Amino acid sequence: MKIGVLMKQVPDTETKIRIKDDASGIVVDGIKWVMNPYDEYAVEEALRIKEKKAGSTVTIISMGPKRSVETIRTGLAMGADSGILIDDPALEGADCYATAKALAKVMEPENFDLILCGKQAIDDDSAQVPQMVAEFLGMPQAMVIDKLVVSDDGKKATCYRRIEGGAKEVLEVDLPAIVAAEKGLNEPRYASLPGIMKAKSKPFKEINLGALGLKAEEVGAKGAKLKVKKYFLPAEKAPGKIIPGEPEDAARALVKMLREEAKVV
Amino acid sequence: MAEKQVKIAKGGSFLLEPTGSYRVFTPDDFTEEQKMFSKTASDFLEKEIIPILEKIEHKQPGLVPSLLKKAGELGLLMIDIPKKYDGLGESKATSMLVSEKMARIGSWAVSAGAHTGIGTLPIVYFGNPEQKKRYLPRLATGEILSCYCLTETGSGSDALSLKTKAVLSPDGKHYILNGGKQFITNAGFADLFIVYAKVDGDKFSAFIVEKAGTEGIQIGAEEKKLGLKGSSTCSITFENVKVPKENLLGEIGKGHKIAFNILNIGRFKLGAGAMGPCKVMLAEAIKYGKVRVQFGKPIIDFGMLRRKVADMAIKIYAGESMAYRIAGMMDAGLKSVDEDDVVKQMEIIEEYAIEDSIIKVYGTEVINYVADESLQMFGGYGFTEEYPIERPYRDCRVDRIFEGTNEINRLLIPGTILRRASKGQLPLFEFIARINSELEEKSKSRISKTSGPLAWAVRACELSKRVALYASNLAVQKYALAIQDEQEVMETMANMIIDTYAMDSACARTLQLIEDRGKTKTRVQMDIANVLCQESYDRINLLARNIITAVAGDEAKKHFKNLEKLGTKGRIDSIKIKKEIAAHFVEADGYNLSAS
Ligand SMILES: Cc1cc2nc3c(=O)[nH]c(=O)nc-3n(C[C@H](O)[C@H](O)[C@H](O)COP(=O)(O)OP(=O)(O)OC[C@H]3O[C@@H](n4cnc5c(N)ncnc54)[C@H](O)[C@@H]3O)c2cc1C
Ligand SMILES: Cc1cc2nc3c(=O)[nH]c(=O)nc-3n(C[C@H](O)[C@H](O)[C@H](O)COP(=O)(O)OP(=O)(O)OC[C@H]3O[C@@H](n4cnc5c(N)ncnc54)[C@H](O)[C@@H]3O)c2cc1C
């Protein structure tokens, strides 16, 4: 099987985010960049499928600034076979739509049997790119999946997702399709030290818009349907209250507070 | 940046060469690949070790060996093993960086380090091709686990006096080992023992002993230790243990070469590795200080605690600058020799014996300092097991004892410098003659001429070298060879030299940063270098005066005058600068100056 994995480089989850003085974005100086955690599940799942199906390949595709190479290489160190980075100054300001368009364009000629990705990137949390990529490529999509079974003949995939009330929804899709990973899909492996050394010599290519046959107006800030006007930090939360006492008394006190102070019941 | 050529300086030459006169390797120079290795090591600790730490510390049987094998599968045990024997053949800097991450949990670090370092390196550097082929690939993956048996009840620091004896069997096929070892890390589960014994009772030698199928090896009970509770430490007795003749490691009577060279590597890894937990403890203390409110404000806002933060960060910056500088010089040297030329490799490693002892002492004393001060910031809670400093506080105590006690390493620092100088390997006396002639010239201009960024600190550093060597020379003149027995003087000399290496390394790194990214992005590093240099300079002057008073008699006055000529101009406001340094690390929630 030929598997593609969409991967985004994001700030480490423990990063202390600071907003630029002009509110146009976050300060990137000193940030530690990592692979989007949901994408780690996607990479891991791709590798597991590859290990089961002889002759499979896994390609990591990312759009982002040059430093994203480092994160692609983490995927290669985990065991993926090759990487592609779409990197062009004109992509500055791209929204989900523009991003999906560029990603779809780069994947078109690859003819993947399966595309895996995370259900959302933990930086913008928009959770829209996978769906849009599916539309651009005209593929079925299965989002927020925590179990995936590819049929022996590689023609179908059964996808499971949790829904409200603890129930599971089971989707069957024809391949090629795009599947977005939810936490719990698997336990991602570490990049082993020998794997890290091998990653250096794996095929990796960088593509700009020209090579993709796209114009800056289509996919950059100008092609974006959405503009971010301003970034700001959420208001600081007031500290929580701990209600002491025996459970019964504490519950009574809680109800009282909900009724009288919070006025929600 | 990482590709810039690092100079292969001579060991000990930092005392004699101008500060910042050549490129050194620093924690700002890690390659992308090194950062990835480092991340795998931290992830492994985070996910595999820390969640089950309780069980490790209670020595659940079989747990540490199984974790070592897991680490082995990830390649964490094969960094120093040549590619030819299924290892990674990676640099000392990589090895050091991974040690730093592993060191986050002391008992884990010691178990892994005893296997990969003292347990494996004797074979890497002194094994013959058959021994390497037989053992290294399995040591690389952790399939077999190793330990290092040097210490005995009667011989600790004085390792050469050990009593374990090896005698060739009548048929000439085996050595028969008899004796006992003490405090052997990993003894409880090791498959392979590197054992030092004297052939016929007088020829110091080393052997590789396999446990499987060998009779007469008895492992004692686990020691009940202050710290490192998760690591196995036992005595071992060898009673008529038959070791195949082929398992002699190196040559008969040359075992001390193996023992001391392996210790040299162990020393720099221990000292460098200590910086890892220091960074963790500092971050914990800062975070706690932000949420703990007393007198109506977070305690981190109190000046005395900020001063602690600044001092901890300054020492960590100096420590890691010193450590990676050594690794960089070794790597540059090792790169220039053939992979199979072990004799040359050993020469290169031995070249930095002085720096190894320095970082062993400095790093292990910094970690004890940081543990103590960060625990203090937690108040009474720091003293309890529920808070994160109690364990590392206990764990780091032994760092000053093993891999050569800090006393022994302090003796080695001036001892080795003097030995090399007298053999003409280090132009020490030429430099001292120059200092004296500089002092005779009336003007002090020649000594004080420094300009450019960081001029004040660099000058303090240059002056410190001169003050330290000037006073040391008086002691050497007085005692000559008998100086070895004047331990208080030797210790004082060692302390001056350690301070000098710290200043010199911090300045060299900071100057490189200024060159690479400019002053505005190097502000905190410059502040650190300035404060460090002033405090070290003051300390060195005090120590130099102590030596002069002890050795110069009536002449002391004249020498004090000369020290005055070596005085710094002006002072920096260290109280103010430390406030700024602290503000940086408080804002960052911890130490953030290394690239990994
Ligand atoms: C947890 C742990 C793990 C260990 N693991 C290993 C291992 O894996 N393999 C191994 O071989 N050993 C191991 N050791 C042993 C360790 O290397 C020794 O404890 C160390 O070398 C010191 O020897 P000693 O304990 O006999 O102390 P001593 O040598 O008796 O020293 C006692 C004190 O006297 C001082 N002293 C001794 N000689 C002098 C001198 N000439 N001048 C000034 N002061 C002096 C010392 O500095 C020290 O303060 C381990 C020890 C511990 C505690
Ligand atoms: C083993 C043990 C036994 C004890 N027994 C008793 C007992 O029998 N009875 C009892 O009443 N208490 C007892 N205590 C409590 C003990 O007295 C407190 O731990 C101590 O007063 C420190 O308070 P704290 O732990 O809240 O630390 P904190 O007050 O939170 O201090 C944390 C850190 O902040 C520093 N700090 C705080 N305020 C300032 C300031 N204004 N300026 C600069 N620095 C500041 C402190 O010096 C410390 O380094 C015990 C504690 C322990 C650990």
Side-chain angles (χ1 to χ4, degrees):
Chain A
M1 276 184 94
K2 214 172 156 209
I3 308 169
V5 179
L6 298 179
M7 194 277 309
K8 185 177 186 187
Q9 188 187 50
V10 297
D12 186 60
T13 45
E14 282 176 25
T15 309
K16 221 164 128 188
I17 298 292
R18 285 177 301 150
I19 305 288
K20 283 189 196 162
D21 289 340
D22 66 359
S24 67
I26 63 168
V27 179
V28 295
D29 252 12
I31 284 186
K32 216 171 108 197
W33 300 96
V34 298
M35 186 185 295
N36 176 37
Y38 293 108
D39 298 347
E40 283 188 29
Y41 301 120
V43 174
E44 177 64 33
E45 197 65 17
L47 295 175
R48 290 186 188 190
I49 296 169
K50 173 185 149 149
E51 282 156 5
K52 269 197 224 124
K53 295 195 189 306
S56 299
T57 58
V58 176
T59 303
I60 308 237
I61 300 122
S62 188
M63 177 172 131
K66 200 155 202 102
R67 57 172 150 73
S68 310
V69 179
E70 293 173 16
T71 312
I72 292 181
R73 230 166 248 143
T74 302
L76 299 179
M78 287 168 78
D81 300 284
S82 59
I84 305 174
L85 174 67
I86 313 171
D87 170 24
D88 197 306
L91 286 167
E92 192 77 24
D95 65 352
C96 292
Y97 176 82
T99 305
K101 195 162 182 180
L103 288 171
K105 187 83 181 175
V106 81
M107 287 193 292
E108 232 170 56
E110 301 283 339
N111 293 316
F112 290 119
D113 301 306
L114 173 65
I115 298 168
L116 284 155
C117 58
K119 68 164 182 172
Q120 69 196 85
I122 56 122
D123 50 359
D124 301 330
D125 269 341
S126 56
Q128 295 178 21
V129 170
Q131 297 87 331
M132 292 188 190
V133 168
E135 283 302 307
F136 281 122
L137 292 176
M139 280 183 187
Q141 47 170 295
M143 300 290 123
V144 202
I145 296 308
D146 66 2
K147 184 178 168 193
L148 172 65
V149 183
V150 174
S151 66
D152 289 338
D153 62 4
K155 296 244 159 72
K156 276 185 179 10
T158 316
C159 310
Y160 298 75
R161 76 169 154 226
R162 265 169 295 171
I163 53 172
E164 273 168 48
K168 282 231 174 190
E169 192 171 60
V170 184
L171 312 171
E172 195 178 86
V173 291
D174 288 331
L175 296 182
I178 178 161
V179 176
E182 163 70 313
K183 188 177 174 169
L185 179 62
N186 52 45
E187 188 55 49
R189 70 193 66 191
Y190 306 96
S192 75
L193 272 52
I196 292 168
M197 291 185 83
K198 276 185 216 134
K200 249 187 318 199
S201 49
K202 287 184 175 173
F204 166 75
K205 67 181 171 196
E206 236 177 292
I207 292 188
N208 60 18
L209 286 185
L212 263 186
L214 284 171
K215 292 198 193 77
E217 300 87 78
E218 292 175 85
V219 288
K222 281 189 199 141
K225 308 239 176 245
L226 185 141
K227 274 206 174 54
V228 178
K229 288 194 161 160
K230 185 178 161 191
Y231 281 82
F232 57 93
L233 291 174
E236 221 160 292
K237 270 194 225 153
K241 263 188 203 157
I242 294 174
I243 306 170
E246 293 298 313
E248 276 173 33
D249 302 332
R252 208 164 287 132
L254 174 63
V255 170
K256 192 163 174 230
M257 282 163 75
L258 289 174
R259 183 167 296 148
E260 292 169 15
E261 286 177 34
K263 299 198 163 77
V264 291
V265 291
Chain B
M1 222 179 288
E3 301 307 321
K4 283 191 189 155
Q5 200 62 44
V6 167
K7 179 174 156 179
I8 311 173
K10 277 197 84 63
S13 66
F14 66 90
L15 279 169
L16 317 175
E17 296 199 26
T19 298
S21 55
Y22 55 86
R23 186 98 196 162
V24 297
F25 184 77
T26 78
D28 311 302
D29 299 331
F30 296 127
T31 62
E32 184 194 327
E33 202 175 69
Q34 283 173 323
K35 290 181 206 168
M36 284 168 81
F37 290 147
S38 156
K39 181 165 190 308
T40 295
S42 346
D43 286 352
F44 185 80
L45 269 278
E46 193 72 50
K47 292 188 195 142
E48 309 291 334
I49 304 290
I50 291 169
I52 53 167
L53 191 52
E54 274 294 310
K55 289 183 189 160
I56 295 175
E57 292 291 274
H58 285 101
K59 292 205 187 69
Q60 180 177 311
L63 188 54
V64 169
S66 76
L67 288 167
L68 283 169
K69 288 179 208 297
K70 219 172 191 178
E73 283 163 23
L74 281 179
L76 287 167
L77 307 180
M78 57 173 66
I79 297 168
D80 295 290
I81 296 176
K83 287 199 179 106
K84 201 165 158 183
Y85 300 103
D86 298 353
L88 295 180
E90 261 293 321
S91 65
K92 297 289 168 225
T94 299
S95 177
M96 202 181 253
L97 180 57
V98 169
S99 297
E100 239 198 84
K101 303 297 170 182
M102 303 278 255
R104 176 153 176 206
I105 303 299
S107 65
W108 164 255
V110 167
S111 309
H115 170 78
T116 59
I118 53 182
T120 295
L121 295 181
I123 302 179
V124 169
Y125 289 116
F126 297 93
N128 59 38
E130 286 71 41
Q131 291 168 339
K132 291 184 185 182
K133 244 191 299 202
R134 185 168 162 83
Y135 297 113
L136 292 182
R138 288 183 291 156
L139 289 165
T141 56
E143 183 189 331
I144 52 172
L145 298 170
S146 177
C147 69
Y148 182 82
C149 315
L150 177 63
T151 305
E152 300 181 1
T153 47
S155 63
S157 299
D158 184 14
L160 292 181
S161 70
L162 63 79
K163 292 278 190 311
T164 298
K165 194 171 167 183
V167 180
L168 199 61
S169 62
D171 63 4
K173 287 189 179 154
H174 292 90
Y175 284 97
I176 313 291
L177 252 57
N178 276 291
K181 296 289 174 181
Q182 177 78 347
F183 295 142
I184 306 307
T185 303
N186 291 354
F189 53 76
D191 309 292
L192 204 66
F193 303 71
I194 307 293
V195 182
Y196 293 90
K198 287 183 178 161
V199 172
D200 302 329
D202 58 358
K203 292 177 274 294
F204 199 94
S205 310
F207 299 88
I208 307 169
V209 181
E210 287 184 47
K211 189 166 161 197
T214 306
E215 281 171 28
I217 304 177
Q218 191 113 41
I219 312 290
E222 289 287 349
E223 298 288 347
K224 297 197 166 70
K225 309 188 296 275
L226 169 71
L228 302 183
K229 288 187 182 290
S231 80
S232 166
T233 315
C234 314
S235 61
I236 304 179
T237 46
F238 299 98
E239 202 184 326
N240 293 324
V241 170
K242 281 167 80 177
V243 183
K245 207 178 86 196
E246 302 76 60
N247 279 22
L248 172 76
L249 188 59
E251 291 170 47
I252 291 180
K254 297 267 175 75
H256 59 286
K257 281 230 140 208
I258 308 179
F260 293 145
N261 278 309
I262 296 307
L263 278 178
N264 276 336
I265 301 175
R267 279 169 189 160
F268 87 64
K269 270 208 207 159
L270 181 65
M275 295 305 115
C278 285
K279 293 169 192 174
V280 177
M281 288 188 275
L282 177 57
E284 297 282 6
I286 291 173
K287 281 185 236 161
Y288 180 78
K290 285 184 177 179
V291 295
R292 174 67 171 169
V293 174
Q294 289 288 279
F295 303 101
K297 27 176 177 172
I299 56 171
I300 200 69
D301 290 343
F302 292 121
M304 272 193 259
L305 298 200
R306 293 225 161 198
R307 199 274 306 149
K308 290 186 200 300
V309 168
D311 277 331
M312 286 189 264
I314 291 167
K315 287 177 199 290
I316 296 171
Y317 183 76
E320 59 172 21
S321 307
M322 295 155 85
Y324 286 96
R325 178 181 183 178
I326 305 173
M329 291 189 293
M330 275 189 195
D331 287 335
L334 291 171
K335 226 192 280 172
S336 70
V337 304
D338 191 83
E339 201 190 49
D340 290 323
D341 191 347
V342 186
V343 176
K344 272 263 167 56
Q345 289 172 16
M346 264 305 120
E347 273 171 24
I348 288 162
I349 287 169
E350 207 175 346
E351 180 66 33
Y352 302 106
I354 299 162
E355 285 83 355
D356 291 339
S357 285
I358 291 177
I359 191 60
K360 197 285 173 175
V361 172
Y362 193 87
T364 62
E365 292 181 3
V366 167
I367 189 175
N368 275 266
Y369 176 88
V370 169
D372 191 62
E373 288 287 63
S374 57
L375 190 147
Q376 184 68 16
M377 287 179 64
F378 276 83
Y381 301 93
F383 193 65
T384 66
E385 289 179 14
E386 268 152 80
Y387 285 79
I389 315 295
E390 182 266 352
R391 180 194 52 76
Y393 179 89
R394 288 184 288 102
D395 285 349
C396 71
R397 184 59 187 84
V398 73
D399 287 0
R400 281 154 58 199
I401 296 169
F402 57 23
E403 303 278 6
T405 67
N406 285 14
E407 289 73 25
I408 296 296
N409 275 293
R410 278 194 162 85
L411 290 176
L412 285 170
I413 294 165
T416 309
I417 291 175
L418 288 173
R419 186 164 44 81
R420 290 195 186 167
S422 65
K423 280 194 194 160
Q425 294 165 341
L426 201 64
L428 179 71
F429 296 112
E430 290 84 332
F431 188 67
I432 289 171
R434 208 178 97 203
I435 298 174
N436 285 329
S437 76
E438 281 173 359
L439 285 169
E440 266 159 39
E441 291 170 25
K442 281 250 157 55
S443 88
K444 22 182 181 169
S445 62
R446 276 190 44 198
I447 307 165
S448 56
K449 219 191 264 166
T450 39
S451 61
L454 214 63
W456 193 90
V458 170
R459 183 161 174 274
C461 189
E462 290 299 319
L463 291 169
S464 295
K465 291 175 189 176
R466 287 163 168 78
V467 170
L469 291 178
Y470 182 84
S472 300
N473 182 47
L474 295 178
V476 173
Q477 298 307 323
K478 167 149 183 177
Y479 298 114
L481 286 178
I483 198 164
Q484 299 290 347
D485 302 321
E486 300 295 326
Q487 288 206 345
E488 299 87 337
V489 173
M490 291 286 276
E491 181 179 30
T492 309
M493 286 162 65
N495 287 343
M496 295 193 296
I497 296 165
I498 294 168
D499 266 339
T500 306
Y501 186 61
M503 304 161 84
D504 196 61
S505 303
C507 283
R509 175 179 179 187
T510 310
L511 287 169
Q512 278 174 206
L513 280 172
I514 295 171
E515 191 189 315
D516 292 347
R517 44 171 111 144
K519 276 191 183 181
T520 42
K521 287 191 171 176
T522 314
R523 228 205 62 226
V524 70
Q525 289 93 336
M526 291 172 68
D527 283 347
I528 289 175
N530 278 321
V531 176
L532 177 83
C533 285
Q534 174 158 291
E535 293 190 343
S536 308
Y537 172 83
D538 288 349
R539 201 159 42 230
I540 287 171
N541 260 279
L542 186 75
L543 296 175
R545 277 162 204 275
N546 289 346
I547 289 187
I548 291 170
T549 311
V551 305
D554 295 343
E555 303 256 278
K557 237 189 189 150
K558 177 186 110 192
H559 298 304
F560 286 146
K561 275 233 163 66
N562 274 336
L563 285 199
E564 270 163 38
K565 283 195 200 166
L566 295 169
T568 53
K569 275 204 215 97
R571 296 198 54 88
I572 54 165
D573 181 352
S574 65
I575 290 180
K576 180 177 143 222
I577 296 182
K578 280 188 190 177
K579 277 186 206 287
E580 285 163 17
I581 294 171
H584 171 94
F585 295 101
V586 168
E587 158 76 21
D589 275 338
Y591 185 84
N592 64 347
L593 299 186
S594 48
S596 175

